[in-house]
Amino acid sequence: MISTDFKITIVGLGLLGGSYASGLAKKGYKVKAIDINQEYLEHALANKWIVEGSDDPSLVSDADLVIFCLYPNTLVKWLNSYQNLLKPNALLTDVTGVKRSIMSKINGFLRTDVKFIYSHPMAGKEVSGALYSDSNIFKSANFIVIKDEDIQAMQTIKDLATILEFKNIVELDAKSHDEMIAFVSQLTHVIAVCLMNVSDNTHLKDYTGDSFRDLTRIAKINENLWYELFMQNKDMLLKEIDAFTRQLDHFKEVIINDDEEEMKRLFRQSSMRRKEFDKK
Amino acid sequence: MISTDFKITIVGLGLLGGSYASGLAKKGYKVKAIDINQEYLEHALANKWIVEGSDDPSLVSDADLVIFCLYPNTLVKWLNSYQNLLKPNALLTDVTGVKRSIMSKINGFLRTDVKFIYSHPMAGKEVSGALYSDSNIFKSANFIVIKDEDIQAMQTIKDLATILEFKNIVELDAKSHDEMIAFVSQLTHVIAVCLMNVSDNTHLKDYTGDSFRDLTRIAKINENLWYELFMQNKDMLLKEIDAFTRQLDHFKEVIINDDEEEMKRLFRQSSMRRKEFDKK
């Protein structure tokens, strides 16, 4: 396990950064945070999530572990600008929801005396900023660590996930991660957004039940973050949209043709598969 | 309000029929039920939801109010076969999720000395049968009553919904009902089913978060009921699928063209609309 003497700095004190800080503080770790938003820093200091906070990148210079909780493009730019401030042998990790694109960029310029183990905590809320941070969001969430040859460094990041009480810790390679995320997260967000955009159906709000609300909850979406996430996983996302569109076209044909047998087969298949997701 | 001396018979003791019986019994009403499933009748008798249960259609003959909790086609057939058993001046209602098709069929042969006020309780579970019945499902649900010139009969059915503690009671004409249901319920079920059918993604269950589970919960679907519901609202449902497909195609173009401005506009629009659905 990670010693509580380990110096940890979080770069980016948004919803996730604040939740990491809060979860680590609860377990006795002394955390520093870098953010340009003074209100977030003060909130984290007032709640004793962090022992020091600043907008000064040099706060990173004594850290054994740096956790980047930034948007994909900001992460790449930050590292490119300030990696000279990192302590030799520092271990780095992130929270980014796409992997291949940022990894190929960062690995192209990263100092060889530091180690980056990429990870993705699959947790969030439909709100942003440290004022909404809450480490309880990790208790029902999956933590994905991208496979690396440095087993020991990978283990430290898995230990971090254990400290933060993630429900489940899984290893994946970057491509499998991006493929999986294109289906389970990105395609579902595209669907929810398109469903809300079909027409102005807000007058229907008096008639909707839980299923419509459940299906569209994620249509409340952070436009800047998700634009980056979609663009950096364009190939995989387009593949998933195409596959889904083919299914939808097929279902439409089944309705038009009143194909009872095929419709019922599709219902049975979807029910059977979905039940698998209910199993613990 | 409906007097507790009012004789009520429920035809079809499935999930909804049993929940109606349970909710009415709680308020002191004496309910009879007709079903071919002996286990359901015994369950309802044992829980004192009903005072009498049988598979004999003639149990309907003393009822002032008959509530049909049957699948669409079964409802039409049952009435066609047994309407001679109904008491003169009996008030009838139903729970059917589609309206135009059953109404045009039933109104074509219904006895003129009985009155049918059509209604749709927008409540359910992903399980079926009276063993799962629970009148608490109505507390968060909308009750839709189809507009009729007989204001007094409509009021009695609204009173029924009040007794059953529905959250919200709304009047709609049959066409508006079917149009609304095509969007908020049927299209969402089509999407969930298609999403599960894209490929066998059950191996992804370890990586999915709440949003995927929320979006696909309704992919567990009763194949016989939903085949009927879709087929009897084919025109409206196909219109909604087409409109959704156009949105999806548009979003795909936006991704392909890396159209940042339009993607962010779509995100803002979906967020803004969806927030309306959170308001009480």
Side-chain angles (χ1 to χ4, degrees):
Chain A
M1 268 299 152
I2 301 171
S3 153
T4 48
D5 294 334
F6 222 61
K7 292 189 169 61
I8 304 176
T9 296
I10 292 171
V11 184
L13 204 62
L15 178 77
L16 279 176
S19 302
Y20 269 60
S22 152
L24 287 165
K26 245 189 255 172
K27 298 292 172 72
Y29 292 90
K30 290 184 179 51
V31 179
K32 296 181 185 178
I34 299 172
D35 202 288
I36 49 170
N37 185 315
Q38 195 58 31
E39 193 187 2
Y40 293 173
L41 293 172
E42 279 165 17
H43 181 77
L45 281 164
N47 284 284
K48 299 200 188 335
W49 295 347
I50 59 172
V51 295
E52 193 178 348
S54 167
D55 60 359
D56 180 358
S58 68
L59 207 67
V60 88
S61 55
D62 69 344
D64 301 303
L65 171 64
V66 185
I67 306 170
F68 292 99
C69 302
L70 299 170
Y71 287 10
N73 291 333
T74 316
L75 165 58
V76 174
K77 275 184 220 150
W78 199 99
L79 256 184
N80 210 348
S81 304
Y82 302 118
Q83 66 165 338
N84 61 305
L85 299 171
L86 294 167
K87 186 161 117 176
N89 299 316
L91 178 60
L92 320 178
T93 193
D94 67 330
V95 298
T96 322
V98 288
K99 291 303 179 200
R100 286 167 307 151
S101 74
I102 61 154
M103 286 172 67
S104 73
K105 286 175 199 152
I106 292 171
N107 293 342
F109 65 73
L110 190 67
R111 276 167 46 185
T112 52
D113 64 340
V114 296
K115 181 73 204 172
F116 205 135
I117 299 291
Y118 297 87
S119 62
H120 178 197
M122 290 181 69
K125 288 191 195 180
E126 297 92 40
V127 285
S128 48
L131 304 185
Y132 295 101
S133 290
D134 175 6
S135 64
N136 287 317
I137 59 174
F138 302 141
K139 287 186 179 157
S140 59
N142 296 314
F143 184 93
I144 297 173
V145 55
I146 303 301
K147 285 180 186 164
D148 194 281
E149 354 178 272
D150 188 336
I151 303 296
Q152 205 190 328
M154 259 183 75
Q155 187 55 50
T156 306
I157 298 307
K158 287 184 182 178
D159 290 347
L160 173 68
T162 303
I163 291 162
L164 291 167
E165 300 185 4
F166 276 86
K167 187 184 72 179
N168 192 26
I169 301 168
V170 201
E171 293 179 20
L172 278 178
D173 62 72
K175 185 169 173 256
S176 305
H177 170 275
D178 286 359
E179 205 162 22
M180 177 276 289
I181 220 70
F183 178 71
V184 305
S185 168
Q186 299 192 326
L187 175 61
T188 53
H189 279 78
V190 169
I191 288 171
V193 165
C194 287
L195 193 54
M196 290 313 297
N197 283 334
V198 164
S199 60
D200 186 359
N201 283 297
T202 47
H203 64 285
L204 294 178
K205 66 175 191 244
D206 290 338
Y207 311 109
T208 53
D210 289 344
S211 35
F212 184 81
R213 284 164 204 268
D214 282 352
L215 208 104
T216 56
R217 188 164 296 116
I218 53 178
K220 287 178 294 184
I221 191 165
N222 177 327
E223 67 195 73
N224 297 310
L225 175 59
W226 283 86
Y227 168 70
E228 286 192 25
L229 292 174
F230 281 1
M231 279 306 122
Q232 301 207 12
N233 205 28
K234 195 167 168 168
D235 55 343
M236 297 281 192
L237 177 55
L238 286 173
K239 230 176 73 185
E240 294 298 339
I241 292 176
D242 283 342
F244 176 73
T245 303
R246 279 194 300 275
Q247 269 299 314
L248 200 60
D249 287 344
H250 174 58
F251 203 92
K252 195 179 135 183
E253 286 306 308
V254 167
I255 295 174
I256 290 171
N257 300 327
D258 197 345
D259 186 346
E260 178 173 358
E261 196 183 325
E262 174 65 356
M263 193 183 293
K264 290 187 176 176
R265 185 191 73 77
L266 290 166
F267 284 156
R268 282 193 301 274
Q269 181 174 272
S270 75
S271 301
M272 200 182 63
R273 285 186 184 161
R274 182 56 182 76
K275 277 176 195 157
E276 287 296 314
F277 285 78
D278 287 334
K279 293 181 184 160
K280 294 296 163 201
Chain B
M1 265 301 151
I2 301 171
S3 153
T4 48
D5 293 334
F6 222 61
K7 292 188 169 64
I8 303 175
T9 297
I10 293 171
V11 183
L13 205 63
L15 178 75
L16 279 175
S19 302
Y20 269 58
S22 151
L24 286 166
K26 245 190 254 170
K27 298 293 173 72
Y29 292 89
K30 289 185 180 51
V31 178
K32 298 181 184 177
I34 299 171
D35 203 289
I36 50 171
N37 185 315
Q38 195 58 34
E39 193 187 3
Y40 293 173
L41 293 172
E42 279 165 17
H43 181 76
L45 281 165
N47 284 283
K48 300 198 190 330
W49 295 346
I50 58 172
V51 294
E52 191 179 349
S54 168
D55 60 358
D56 180 0
S58 67
L59 206 66
V60 88
S61 54
D62 69 345
D64 302 302
L65 171 63
V66 185
I67 307 170
F68 292 99
C69 302
L70 299 170
Y71 286 11
N73 291 333
T74 315
L75 165 58
V76 174
K77 275 185 220 149
W78 199 98
L79 256 184
N80 209 347
S81 304
Y82 302 118
Q83 65 166 340
N84 61 304
L85 300 172
L86 294 168
K87 186 160 115 175
N89 299 315
L91 177 61
L92 319 178
T93 193
D94 67 328
V95 299
T96 323
V98 287
K99 291 303 178 198
R100 288 168 306 152
S101 74
I102 61 152
M103 285 173 68
S104 73
K105 285 175 200 150
I106 292 172
N107 293 341
F109 65 72
L110 191 67
R111 275 168 48 186
T112 52
D113 64 339
V114 298
K115 180 73 204 172
F116 205 133
I117 299 291
Y118 297 87
S119 63
H120 178 197
M122 291 183 68
K125 287 192 194 179
E126 295 93 42
V127 285
S128 47
L131 304 185
Y132 296 102
S133 290
D134 175 5
S135 65
N136 288 316
I137 59 174
F138 303 141
K139 287 186 179 156
S140 60
N142 296 313
F143 183 92
I144 297 172
V145 56
I146 303 301
K147 285 181 185 161
D148 194 279
E149 354 178 273
D150 188 337
I151 304 294
Q152 206 190 328
M154 260 182 75
Q155 187 56 50
T156 306
I157 299 307
K158 285 184 181 177
D159 289 346
L160 174 69
T162 304
I163 291 162
L164 291 167
E165 300 183 3
F166 276 87
K167 188 184 70 177
N168 193 25
I169 301 168
V170 202
E171 291 179 20
L172 277 179
D173 61 72
K175 186 171 171 251
S176 304
H177 170 276
D178 286 0
E179 204 163 21
M180 176 276 289
I181 221 68
F183 178 71
V184 305
S185 167
Q186 299 192 326
L187 175 62
T188 52
H189 280 77
V190 169
I191 288 171
V193 166
C194 286
L195 192 54
M196 291 312 300
N197 283 333
V198 164
S199 59
D200 187 359
N201 283 299
T202 48
H203 66 283
L204 294 179
K205 67 176 188 237
D206 291 339
Y207 311 109
T208 54
D210 289 343
S211 35
F212 184 81
R213 285 166 204 266
D214 281 351
L215 209 105
T216 55
R217 187 165 297 114
I218 52 177
K220 289 179 294 185
I221 191 165
N222 177 328
E223 67 197 72
N224 297 310
L225 174 59
W226 284 86
Y227 168 69
E228 287 192 24
L229 292 174
F230 281 1
M231 279 306 123
Q232 302 208 10
N233 205 28
K234 197 167 165 168
D235 55 344
M236 297 281 192
L237 177 54
L238 286 173
K239 230 177 74 184
E240 293 298 340
I241 293 176
D242 283 341
F244 176 73
T245 304
R246 279 194 300 275
Q247 268 299 314
L248 200 60
D249 287 344
H250 174 58
F251 202 92
K252 194 180 136 182
E253 286 307 307
V254 168
I255 296 174
I256 290 171
N257 299 328
D258 197 344
D259 187 345
E260 179 173 356
E261 196 182 327
E262 174 65 356
M263 191 183 293
K264 290 186 176 177
R265 186 191 72 77
L266 290 166
F267 285 157
R268 282 193 300 272
Q269 180 174 273
S270 75
S271 302
M272 201 182 61
R273 287 186 183 161
R274 182 56 182 77
K275 277 176 194 157
E276 288 296 314
F277 285 78
D278 287 334
K279 293 181 184 161
K280 293 296 165 206

